[in-house]
Amino acid sequence: MQQINGRDTALAVLNDPAFVVPPVPSGAAGLAWLRATVGRFSTGEAHERRRALSVAILDTIPPESLGGYGPMHPVAVLAGEMGIDEPVVDLVGDVTQAYQPGTGDEPRADAAVARLVAAFGGVFDEPTAARIGLLVQACDATVAMTERARHRAVDDVLRDDPPVPATKRQALVKAIVGDVTVEAGEVVQVRLAGDLAFGAGPRRCPGRAHALALVEGAVA
């Protein structure tokens, strides 16, 4: 898999609609349902609609309200802000370890998705997927950033050791970005660091301010 490392080249890929997130199989339940229903793995109009759901949830949580939770797990903080009183940290962790296709124990994640859907009202729909997806995105990445920021400035962590170091894109057509030629259908790995640590373009992370507020509160 080709690596896209330079900032300008990475920006070109992240902003180019001819580069999309690699597709994932659909499913009626479990992890396959979640992947197929969140904005993270969607494209086109579905991505725009599902991203808007995530943004609407975040808009109900002022980032400045997150700084007073101290060392609480970021998933527990966000779940509480969403009105979920049940303990869901371990369940979200079970989903997170297999969220990216081919990375973990999918049966364990399937069981956790079912329990999380029940905790969020029992309906397998896009609003429920958006809530679970936000918790998954905040899980390991925010914990990792917090631990690294205990010893270094956050800006240094994002530049040198970001918690999400890369993302994947698939070319719909043959393209030349910088000095890299990408064939149609080829998947490339785009490095995320510095001011790109939360992505860029239409798929940039909508929870940047919330993540930084959680890290600042935990470190303080």
Side-chain angles (χ1 to χ4, degrees):
M1 184 184 301
Q2 294 199 78
Q3 307 294 310
I4 306 296
N5 294 316
R7 179 183 180 277
D8 290 344
T9 308
L11 270 174
V13 171
L14 295 174
N15 282 288
D16 190 340
F19 283 90
V20 299
V21 172
V24 294
S26 61
L31 186 58
W33 165 80
L34 183 64
R35 289 189 191 125
T37 314
V38 293
R40 171 67 181 83
F41 299 104
S42 303
T43 58
E45 187 275 333
H47 170 256
E48 294 177 5
R49 182 180 68 250
R50 293 165 179 174
R51 177 185 171 85
L53 290 171
S54 298
V55 170
I57 296 167
L58 291 170
D59 283 347
T60 68
I61 307 172
E64 58 270 18
S65 72
L66 302 177
Y69 286 92
M72 281 183 62
H73 196 287
V75 168
V77 174
L78 291 175
E81 291 284 343
M82 292 181 197
I84 301 301
D85 297 325
E86 297 182 40
V88 297
V89 172
D90 289 344
L91 294 176
V92 173
D94 286 346
V95 177
T96 303
Q97 56 85 32
Y99 194 50
Q100 293 291 334
T103 60
D105 182 344
E106 297 207 4
R108 176 156 58 101
D110 288 340
V113 168
R115 292 179 61 186
L116 287 168
V117 170
F120 278 100
V123 180
F124 283 83
D125 59 9
E126 289 185 353
T128 299
R131 287 172 170 80
I132 297 173
L134 281 176
L135 296 181
V136 171
Q137 294 288 135
C139 188
D140 289 356
T142 309
V143 170
M145 184 161 57
T146 299
E147 291 306 309
R148 295 167 192 176
R150 296 188 189 282
H151 312 288
R152 290 171 284 171
V154 171
D155 285 347
D156 292 344
V157 172
L158 295 178
R159 182 192 65 224
D160 301 327
D161 195 16
V164 181
T167 188
K168 294 178 181 178
R169 294 291 186 270
Q170 184 175 39
L172 297 178
V173 297
K174 182 176 180 178
I176 299 175
V177 285
D179 58 355
V180 178
T181 299
V182 183
E183 300 295 334
E186 183 179 354
V187 176
V188 296
Q189 187 159 299
V190 185
R191 184 168 185 268
L192 303 177
D195 62 344
L196 300 186
F198 289 89
R203 304 187 70 92
R204 66 193 179 281
C205 175
R208 181 182 186 277
H210 296 77
L212 295 177
L214 286 165
V215 170
E216 182 179 355
V219 170

